[in-house]
Amino acid sequence: TFNVAISTGGHAQPDTLYGLMYEDINHVCYAQLASSSRAHIFISQSGDGGLYAELIQNRAFQQVTPGTSAALNSWAALNAASRISVVRSNVPVSAALPNALSLAVNAGTTDSVGFTNTGFWGFPVTANTRYQGSFYYRFPNPPSNQVSGNFNVDLRSTGGTVFTSTSVPFTSSAGWKKVTFTFTPSATQASANNLFAVSVTGATVSGLTVEFTLVSLFPPTFNNRPNGMRIDISQALADLKPTFFRFPGGNNLEGQTPARRWIWNNTIGDLLDRPGRQGDWSYVNTDGLGLFDYLQWIEDMGMEPIMGVWAGYTLNTQSVPENQLGPYVQEVLDQIHFAISDSSTNAQGRRRAALGHPAPFNVRYVEIGNEDWISAGGLASYNNYRWRVFASAISTTFPQLRLISTSGTSGNVPSVSGPRPIYWDLHIYENPNWFRNSAYNFDILPRNDLRFFQGEYAVTNANNGTRLSYPTVEGAITEAAYMTGFDRNSDIVFAAAYAPLLNHISSTQWTPNLISYSPNTLFKSTSYYVQQMFGVYKGDFYLTSTTNTASAPVQWSVTRNTSAGQVYLKVINTSTSAHTVVFTLPSSITTINAAGTGRILTGAAATMNTPSSPNAVVPRSFTFTAGRTITYSAVAWSASVLVVGAR
Ligand code: AHR
């Protein structure tokens, strides 16, 4: 039995404490990066085909090599009466989008011709849901006698059954024309194994070639934003009650070379003006989910951004020399101006206003780089000059911002030239034993002016080293034990985020992830429910209580929601047997409701929620009798929160 005396003292819970870390990581099989300390096996699906609601994969043939079969990724001709290829258009639709899909129709054909897209491993077909689409087309060699007709667009099964369709008129224009369309299926299809198709009666275009690009199809989006986010994923994230969103990476901020870094300026405005980039996980990012889209959605979600900026280092271990950093520093200053500067006095602020957001976004935290000190001894260029150059320039122009430095060593601050780093981002991917034994890592840090952001963490391996495919009960519960350390030390830990967030079940290479989905399903992991427990029951004040010891089987934290008049007792049991905890509320609390409600997540240690068993472990509610003394028996492998009405 553990006896826990709760004091009236403590400290405020930061309003940023529990949030999200996000980047687009996807499609790669194995990325062994040059620096041995930064080797990764990654793949998961998060932005394109995930959070970003666009349904067409490879919609604008960005960053592909025309004429290759790889360039045709996800596209196929409808039948042998026509051929498709990706070409570099003689008349590009825009400078940013030079490529197009060329449909060459055999002379004399009367068959229906066209092409299909596989989407991101399928398309959802949902009854009474209005899908909005568009594409550009042109006839590179129009016939002397103008022809006209209709393009048919539809969602169909792979066997050819059309579920919903419409048609849009065309004429044989040599210049690019944009068509828009909508359709609304009347019935939901259980399977997402469907295609999007564009077809045309062969006789109309026999012997002609038609080019297409920026073929787009969106379902309804979160908050009805054009070019917006998937509703079910957004809602699942909102249900975590996250306070912040760190973006755009992670490694995906950095680039494999300076030319391949995330360039904010290429991610805003009309989709025609976004070239996309070769992301850091060996696939092309459309950048349809760009800086403005991120900031708008973060605001819609009631979060605040922790905005990453590029810091002169790339994953091929290249550091830009100090005397060449000037343009990159200016790029970062412009990025911040775009996010927060006055639209009446600043050019970047005006660009933001022109996109529909005159008011500055609420950016208080900017993170300079990613994992710059993660290797033993650190990346010398960050310590020697990169931090200084970027931090000095940003803090001179934006003295109100809190600048986060990137590190792997908690409390062990390496010497660094330039402004003293106060805010530190720490990352850890480990096994359950590590998390159980590390619950007091922050308790032992000195109390000074340093503040910590556990910017990425997760149990990724079983104790025997086996990589987890999905979070297990054991992983989630030991993460919860570690998270009691965030509550307890929230005087110096200002933020924490599990990573990575999202994966598409048909294209997952980084495992485990917090939320998994397909085109038409979504399920939540064991770790998701732990994150939700800490997010929903964060409270605004941590109440000091008797502490346990590192690696003890039971950990707890006590917080208060002052306005709701509630005390939250979180009890985490990482052992194979039940343990009793007896809490005693302080005498300063004079009114205590007799009936308490609780939530518990528990299950067999190795259990995971998987596509075939998505609800193997879900939390359940219970009631209990409360009083000044509350006795709780925590079953094996459990994370519980007891909610007590107490003032
Ligand atoms: O979360 C996946 C990766 O892990 C991030 O991109 C990187 O910051 C870390 O190494």
Side-chain angles (χ1 to χ4, degrees):
T1 298
F2 297 94
N3 292 305
V4 180
I6 302 168
S7 133
T8 21
H11 47 78
Q13 291 278 76
D15 52 11
T16 44
L17 192 54
Y18 295 116
L20 308 175
M21 184 275 169
Y22 172 84
E23 67 179 327
D24 205 323
I25 66 176
N26 187 10
H27 291 316
V28 70
C29 298
Y30 184 75
Q32 177 76 49
L33 303 181
S35 158
S36 59
S37 61
R38 304 183 73 183
H40 305 285
I41 301 171
F42 284 121
I43 299 181
S44 77
Q45 170 81 14
S46 50
D48 289 322
L51 179 60
Y52 180 52
E54 172 64 79
L55 295 173
I56 305 288
Q57 186 167 186
N58 193 19
R59 68 182 174 190
F61 318 99
Q62 292 160 287
Q63 306 293 327
V64 300
T65 306
T68 61
S69 57
L72 277 171
N73 170 33
S74 78
W75 297 95
L78 261 181
N79 57 40
S82 63
R83 285 149 286 124
I84 62 167
S85 58
V86 174
V87 297
R88 194 170 181 89
S89 181
N90 289 334
V91 183
V93 70
S94 67
L97 300 180
N99 298 333
L101 184 74
S102 168
L103 175 75
V105 183
N106 294 347
T109 189
T110 52
D111 288 349
S112 176
V113 294
F115 48 83
T116 60
N117 185 276
T118 59
F120 292 93
W121 301 275
F123 285 89
V125 177
T126 312
N128 307 320
T129 296
R130 189 164 175 264
Y131 294 73
Q132 300 189 63
S134 60
F135 59 81
Y136 291 80
Y137 77 90
R138 78 178 196 108
F139 285 70
N141 303 298
S144 46
N145 291 332
Q146 179 168 290
V147 298
S148 59
N150 287 307
F151 292 127
N152 303 307
V153 287
D154 63 65
L155 286 175
R156 57 176 66 188
S157 70
T158 50
T161 304
V162 172
F163 302 123
T164 183
S165 67
T166 190
S167 62
V168 286
F170 70 81
T171 57
S172 52
S173 154
W176 287 100
K177 292 204 164 190
K178 182 179 185 180
V179 296
T180 60
F181 59 89
T182 66
F183 45 53
T184 305
S186 55
T188 296
Q189 301 304 315
S191 168
N193 192 17
N194 306 313
L195 301 169
F196 168 79
V198 177
S199 61
V200 55
T201 306
T204 342
V205 289
S206 145
L208 297 176
T209 296
V210 194
E211 290 180 0
F212 297 84
T213 196
L214 197 47
V215 185
S216 175
L217 185 69
F218 273 84
T221 59
F222 187 73
N223 235 16
N224 277 322
R225 295 285 179 194
N227 193 48
M229 311 298 170
R230 205 169 127 164
I231 293 173
D232 58 347
I233 295 176
S234 299
Q235 192 56 54
L237 295 174
D239 292 344
L240 292 166
K241 297 283 177 272
T243 54
F244 68 85
F245 188 79
R246 173 179 168 231
F247 77 100
N251 291 152
N252 207 36
L253 167 71
E254 296 170 278
Q256 298 295 331
T257 64
R260 282 173 51 179
R261 70 196 184 282
W262 181 80
I263 304 174
W264 74 273
N265 208 21
N266 285 345
T267 73
I268 62 166
D270 199 305
L271 296 180
L272 285 174
D273 298 326
R274 305 189 196 187
R277 68 181 268 265
Q278 188 66 45
D280 289 324
W281 307 110
S282 300
Y283 73 102
V284 174
N285 295 173
T286 66
D287 284 338
L289 173 46
L291 177 59
F292 183 84
D293 313 289
Y294 277 118
L295 292 168
Q296 179 68 80
W297 175 77
I298 292 167
E299 186 176 272
D300 287 349
M301 291 275 290
M303 301 185 286
E304 73 172 282
I306 292 184
M307 185 169 77
V309 296
W310 193 70
Y313 175 82
T314 50
L315 295 170
N316 63 349
T317 69
Q318 190 181 342
S319 297
V320 175
E322 182 172 358
N323 63 4
Q324 294 171 27
L325 277 179
Y328 300 109
V329 171
Q330 189 56 51
E331 183 176 294
V332 164
L333 296 178
D334 287 345
Q335 176 185 339
I336 301 171
H337 276 305
F338 176 83
I340 63 173
S341 286
D342 189 329
S343 59
S344 59
T345 57
N346 180 272
Q348 301 301 342
R350 268 194 295 284
R351 291 174 84 186
R352 182 192 66 242
L355 294 176
H357 203 287
F361 286 105
N362 174 33
V363 180
R364 295 189 298 166
Y365 291 95
V366 166
E367 179 158 344
I368 300 177
N370 177 60
E371 296 187 340
D372 287 277
W373 286 326
I374 204 108
S375 56
L379 296 174
S381 63
Y382 197 74
N383 305 38
N384 292 343
Y385 64 88
R386 288 190 297 110
W387 164 264
R388 169 171 47 79
V389 169
F390 283 94
S392 304
I394 297 171
S395 55
T396 301
T397 312
F398 306 102
Q400 77 278 26
L401 291 179
R402 298 169 189 177
L403 304 183
I404 302 172
S405 64
T406 69
S407 168
T409 49
S410 54
N412 176 19
V413 184
S415 66
V416 57
S417 70
R420 175 175 156 77
I422 304 295
Y423 300 94
W424 291 72
D425 178 1
L426 321 173
H427 298 174
I428 188 74
Y429 296 103
E430 261 294 351
N431 63 33
N433 282 347
W434 186 95
F435 275 84
R436 179 191 291 104
N437 296 336
S438 303
Y440 286 78
N441 274 12
F442 290 100
D443 296 69
I444 57 179
L445 293 185
R447 265 38 190 179
N448 51 30
D449 60 339
L450 301 184
R451 297 291 175 266
F452 298 98
F453 172 27
Q454 183 78 67
E456 300 179 20
Y457 68 95
V459 170
T460 49
N461 297 304
N463 288 324
N464 67 7
T466 308
R467 186 77 178 199
L468 301 181
S469 50
Y470 294 92
T472 58
V473 167
E474 180 180 34
I477 302 301
T478 52
E479 285 160 4
Y482 187 66
M483 291 174 78
T484 62
F486 300 152
D487 277 352
R488 205 166 44 246
N489 294 283
S490 65
D491 56 329
I492 59 169
V493 176
F494 70 96
Y498 181 100
L501 260 193
L502 303 169
N503 77 297
H504 190 304
I505 60 173
S506 298
S507 178
T508 297
Q509 293 84 27
W510 170 287
T511 62
N513 297 275
L514 203 64
I515 296 173
S516 303
Y517 51 85
S518 71
N520 61 349
T521 62
L522 176 148
F523 68 92
K524 299 163 180 174
S525 67
T526 53
S527 292
Y528 174 94
Y529 293 116
V530 161
Q531 292 294 316
Q532 189 175 42
M533 189 175 283
F534 280 77
V536 170
Y537 301 103
K538 173 170 82 73
D540 58 284
F541 197 84
Y542 171 77
L543 290 165
T544 306
S545 63
T546 312
T547 49
N548 212 336
T549 54
S551 80
V554 179
Q555 300 295 345
W556 54 80
S557 72
V558 183
T559 60
R560 182 182 75 206
N561 181 332
T562 309
S563 61
Q566 292 176 329
V567 171
Y568 304 140
L569 311 169
K570 297 191 198 81
V571 184
I572 316 301
N573 184 352
T574 63
S575 78
T576 52
S577 53
H579 287 276
T580 299
V581 187
V582 181
F583 291 98
T584 305
L585 294 169
S587 56
S588 56
I589 293 179
T590 52
T591 310
I592 302 169
N593 293 357
T597 58
R599 297 274 287 168
I600 181 170
L601 182 80
T602 186
T607 314
M608 344 172 151
N609 293 337
T610 64
S612 57
S613 192
N615 296 313
V617 184
V618 294
R620 62 179 168 75
S621 300
F622 60 92
T623 56
F624 62 94
T625 304
R628 183 156 309 282
T629 298
I630 298 161
T631 301
Y632 181 65
S633 175
V635 298
W637 294 117
S638 65
S640 311
V641 59
L642 312 184
V643 180
V644 186
R647 291 182 190 273

